[in-house]
Amino acid sequence: MSQVKPIESSNDFVIKFANVNGSGSASANELFARAIMRMGVPVAPRNIFPSNIQGMPTWYEMRVSEAGWLGRRGGCDLMVAMNPQTWDRDIAEIEPGGYLFYDSTKSQPRSRFREDITVLGIPLTEMCNREYTDARQRQLFKNIMYVGALTALLGIDFSVVEKLIADQYRGKDKLIGANVNALKLGFDHATANLPCPIGLRVKRSNGVGDKIFINGNDACGLGAVYGGATVAAWYPITPSTSVIEAFSSYCRKYRTDPDNGMARYAIVQAEDELASIGMVIGAAWNGARAFTATSGPGISLMQEFFGLAYFAEVPVVVFNVQRGGPSTGMPTRTQQSDLISCAYASHGDTKHVLLFPEDPYECFTLGAQAFDLADRLQTPVFVLLDLDIGMNDRLCQPFDWDDSRRYDRGKIMTAEMLDSGKNFGRYLDVDGDGIPWRTIPGTHPTKGAFFSRGTTRNAYAKYSEAGTDYTYNMERLRRKLETAKKLVPAPVLKPASQPTRFGAIHYGSTSPAMAEASALLEAQGVHVDTLRVRGFPFADEVIDFVNDHDVVFVVEQNESGQLRMLLLTEGELDPKKLVRVLHYDGTPITARFISGRIADALSEHKVTPLRKQVAS
């Protein structure tokens, strides 16, 4: 019996499912998440799974938040413990006053429970063995039974889940009936034998609105289509493979000639990552908008070709869905650990354009924008998301697109311009922005054609090892990167409610946890301005933000503080001003982690929280 008052909360709690990989639990857990969203309550689920096929532990963490917080909070209010192997660590995660739901078919000694939680047991295995004879059915319907029990325990409208099942198996009436029956078995047993509802409640709301539920990889695939991509070359790697799968699916729908059924696109699975980026560079040199999708190990293998694209000035796009490294690392865990390897990819003095989307909406918009930037700047552009954004479905604003928008192909010299006597030098800077004019092969039968090479050349693309020609090109490339500062997406500033000497810089998937952490700090009287970086090279506003504050916390998900390194290198900043807030265990960062680290650091600076005066 719990010695602590049970948690009571409506539409604001965390549920965590502990399952075994390959048990079919993922679809049941997602069904439950969608049911809560159908009740109008925002949900942010995260699937934490192993890199093998089956048999290893897997978790599905679900943040329920009517306030719309989509980051991980930290802690767990209700643990659905379906894996005996991880029982002890799962029980330890439950907040005092929280709830444990488990399969009570096999009795557990009292010592295996905690005194400060409420225990809710249902004999799921026994019920399944009684109802079903097929072993696979027993496993699959056991998952649906616990969804039914949770539906009763949290006060969710049964008809909402029932309709979801009907929608999911539309046209397969036998599956609909069998799943609804299992759902009802769990619901009825919980209603008859457990205190329903418990202190955690799901009440109807309108917090979801018109938001859509999609993962970042699918959004990148669609963004590539809208961005004009027609060629993709890739080699399968977790967690980026579904970017290409999504692109392929959307291309079949939107890039197939309606008259003859011919594909207006090309997707090639190469023999390795090096071959894939080579194909992309070749297609882009010929005028196509081309891209690849990969992760950290693929970035490592592609380094030499990145240098070629940078120096020959070929516009390519790379979607890098980051995972835990180095080497094979943690293939199914999330990190932001490829910033340095992408920013300076290849040997020599190279520097690349990076984009940092924070959610699927920006995966779509920045994914499309990347192709304009690559063409405009004639250089590789990296879109850096990570597994948390890429593979987890998330609520975000609906995608929008201006149908009047036209692609920015940059400085492309036409046959007419060449015939008019325009001075064409492939690497000639005529505008002072570092970006030369280029021709697409086949533009003119005799003029403007050139061979791209990775060796030095003069402004007219003629081979040269003269130091003056090399210096000219390197200085021009530096000017091009200065131009890029004005073209990458601007950073997003969120001032604190009161003037403050302290700031925090973050990017990408840290954003939802950072937003909530700011609110937690404000509630404690700690005020911190935040700046979300969306692109590299850094806009002047990023460096100004650091200079305008006494201390700036740099929040990121890697061990070495790579964003901080870039800020120090590119901004020539005082290292003492930039304080690391680093999270790198492979799980998404939490609001509690960020707020705790910042509060601890400020206490070392002897900062006294500002409290609101309350009238007596």
Side-chain angles (χ1 to χ4, degrees):
M1 186 71 178
S2 174
Q3 301 301 308
V4 176
K5 183 180 178 182
I7 297 172
E8 294 187 5
S9 182
S10 295
N11 296 350
D12 185 13
F13 49 86
V14 175
I15 308 175
K16 193 166 185 177
F17 297 80
N19 298 104
V20 176
N21 201 35
S23 65
S25 60
S27 59
N29 297 341
E30 183 179 331
L31 174 76
F32 189 65
R34 290 181 179 274
I36 295 176
M37 285 189 287
R38 288 277 181 100
M39 294 282 286
V41 183
V43 170
R46 285 174 170 83
N47 195 12
I48 303 168
F49 58 98
S51 55
N52 74 336
I53 297 174
Q54 64 180 13
M56 295 291 286
T58 183
W59 293 270
Y60 189 87
E61 186 175 288
M62 191 182 303
R63 179 75 185 275
V64 179
S65 173
E66 187 167 14
W69 299 122
L70 298 179
R72 290 184 70 218
R73 184 198 70 186
C76 166
D77 302 309
L78 169 59
M79 175 65 71
V80 182
M82 294 290 129
N83 188 356
Q85 293 179 343
T86 60
W87 176 275
D88 291 336
R89 66 183 286 190
D90 294 333
I91 301 298
E93 282 193 50
I94 304 172
E95 298 280 292
Y99 302 82
L100 166 67
F101 177 93
Y102 79 109
D103 181 356
S104 61
T105 300
K106 183 179 179 180
S107 61
Q108 299 284 348
R110 186 179 181 86
S111 61
R112 301 208 70 189
F113 298 100
R114 283 169 44 186
E115 294 294 324
D116 60 346
I117 61 175
T118 299
V119 178
L120 307 163
I122 289 184
L124 293 167
T125 300
E126 179 185 317
M127 293 167 64
C128 284
N129 290 344
R130 187 170 60 243
E131 289 289 327
Y132 309 104
T133 56
D134 180 78
R136 186 59 177 165
Q137 280 190 336
R138 285 175 173 174
Q139 179 59 61
L140 295 176
F141 287 127
K142 177 181 175 180
N143 300 327
I144 300 300
M145 279 187 188
Y146 73 61
V147 169
L150 293 171
T151 299
L153 289 167
L154 298 180
I156 297 172
D157 187 339
F158 182 88
S159 65
V160 168
V161 192
E162 186 178 28
K163 187 175 188 309
L164 268 173
I165 290 174
D167 291 343
Q168 182 171 328
Y169 296 109
R170 183 174 289 113
K172 302 176 181 178
D173 292 347
K174 288 184 178 180
L175 290 177
I176 294 173
N179 278 275
V180 170
N181 179 63
L183 183 77
K184 194 170 189 308
L185 285 170
F187 183 90
D188 289 346
H189 191 280
T191 302
N193 297 281
L194 296 175
C196 296
I198 58 175
L200 305 179
R201 297 286 305 275
V202 177
K203 295 183 177 179
R204 285 194 178 273
S205 181
N206 58 359
V208 175
D210 65 349
K211 293 184 177 68
I212 62 174
F213 193 54
I214 188 173
N215 65 64
N217 283 357
D218 283 357
C220 285
L222 186 60
V225 171
Y226 273 76
T230 56
V231 176
W234 66 301
Y235 184 77
I237 183 171
T238 302
S240 71
T241 296
S242 57
V243 173
I244 302 295
E245 292 172 346
F247 179 70
S248 175
S249 175
Y250 291 126
C251 280
R252 286 195 298 272
K253 185 174 182 179
Y254 298 116
R255 293 219 188 287
T256 300
D257 192 307
D259 296 325
N260 57 27
M262 296 291 290
R264 294 173 171 170
Y265 60 93
I267 300 173
V268 182
Q269 180 176 329
E271 61 267 32
D272 54 34
E273 285 90 350
L274 191 60
S276 68
I277 190 62
M279 293 174 185
V280 168
I281 292 171
W285 177 77
N286 272 286
R289 287 193 156 184
F291 75 97
T292 191
T294 190
S295 191
I299 294 293
S300 297
L301 290 169
M302 296 176 184
Q303 294 285 311
E304 185 175 356
F305 262 138
F306 290 146
L308 172 62
Y310 174 80
F311 203 50
E313 298 180 63
V314 180
V316 300
V317 172
V318 180
F319 291 96
N320 178 9
V321 189
Q322 299 168 91
R323 72 190 208 188
S327 188
T328 303
M330 297 188 292
T332 59
R333 297 292 189 265
T334 193
Q335 276 191 7
Q336 297 173 310
S337 53
D338 296 346
L339 269 74
I340 299 297
S341 63
C342 289
Y344 305 120
S346 197
H347 57 277
D349 294 312
T350 55
K351 189 186 298 184
H352 301 292
V353 176
L354 314 179
L355 305 182
F356 308 122
E358 71 164 345
D359 63 4
Y361 175 81
E362 285 197 343
C363 286
F364 170 74
T365 56
L366 299 190
Q369 184 182 357
F371 292 91
D372 277 353
L373 284 173
D375 271 354
R376 176 80 176 271
L377 294 165
Q378 299 175 33
T379 198
V381 173
F382 294 77
V383 182
L384 268 66
L385 57 157
D386 56 37
L387 184 145
D388 183 30
I389 300 175
M391 294 193 71
N392 289 314
D393 287 334
R394 186 174 301 182
L395 286 169
C396 67
Q397 68 184 90
F399 300 164
D400 50 37
W401 187 263
D402 182 358
D403 288 334
S404 65
R405 175 175 168 178
R406 294 293 176 264
Y407 297 140
D408 183 353
R409 297 308 306 263
K411 296 179 179 179
I412 297 179
M413 194 163 285
T414 64
E416 291 76 19
M417 295 168 70
L418 291 167
D419 279 333
S420 69
K422 288 279 186 183
N423 180 21
F424 175 70
R426 173 62 186 99
Y427 298 110
L428 183 66
D429 183 5
V430 296
D431 302 314
D433 59 3
I435 306 171
W437 286 77
R438 65 177 173 135
T439 58
I440 303 297
T443 296
H444 195 285
T446 59
K447 299 176 182 178
F450 67 96
F451 288 103
S452 293
R453 61 173 86 223
T455 54
T456 55
R457 68 277 163 159
N458 65 16
Y460 292 89
K462 183 178 180 180
Y463 176 78
S464 169
E465 292 189 12
T468 53
D469 288 331
Y470 177 78
T471 302
Y472 165 80
N473 272 298
M474 295 307 294
E475 291 178 350
R476 180 180 56 75
L477 289 167
R478 187 178 66 229
R479 287 196 300 276
K480 181 197 288 192
L481 269 294
E482 286 296 316
T483 300
K485 290 182 179 181
K486 303 178 181 65
L487 297 177
V488 298
V492 178
L493 172 67
K494 288 191 177 179
S497 61
Q498 296 186 24
T500 177
R501 297 178 291 122
F502 305 103
I505 290 179
H506 63 103
Y507 66 102
S509 63
T510 61
S511 296
M514 183 72 243
E516 186 176 5
S518 296
L520 292 174
L521 290 166
E522 291 264 347
Q524 301 170 35
V526 178
H527 304 283
V528 179
D529 297 329
T530 65
L531 187 76
R532 179 166 69 89
V533 176
R534 298 201 297 159
F536 174 83
F538 300 124
D540 291 341
E541 298 98 302
V542 177
I543 308 305
D544 292 343
F545 180 86
V546 177
N547 290 328
D548 290 343
H549 294 83
D550 292 349
V551 175
V552 175
F553 300 95
V554 186
V555 181
E556 48 187 321
Q557 299 185 89
N558 58 67
E559 185 273 337
S560 53
Q562 295 186 23
L563 178 61
R564 182 178 179 274
M565 289 185 202
L566 285 178
L567 288 166
L568 292 174
T569 301
E570 300 296 326
E572 300 181 354
L573 300 167
D574 180 0
K576 294 179 181 177
K577 296 186 70 170
L578 297 176
V579 178
R580 300 176 181 89
V581 178
L582 305 178
H583 184 274
Y584 47 88
D585 68 359
T587 63
I589 197 167
T590 70
R592 290 180 179 178
F593 178 89
I594 297 173
S595 60
R597 290 299 174 93
I598 291 178
D600 289 346
L602 289 178
S603 67
E604 294 177 6
H605 285 80
K606 296 181 172 56
V607 175
T608 303
L610 298 173
R611 303 293 182 186
K612 292 183 180 179
Q613 297 295 319
V614 180
S616 58

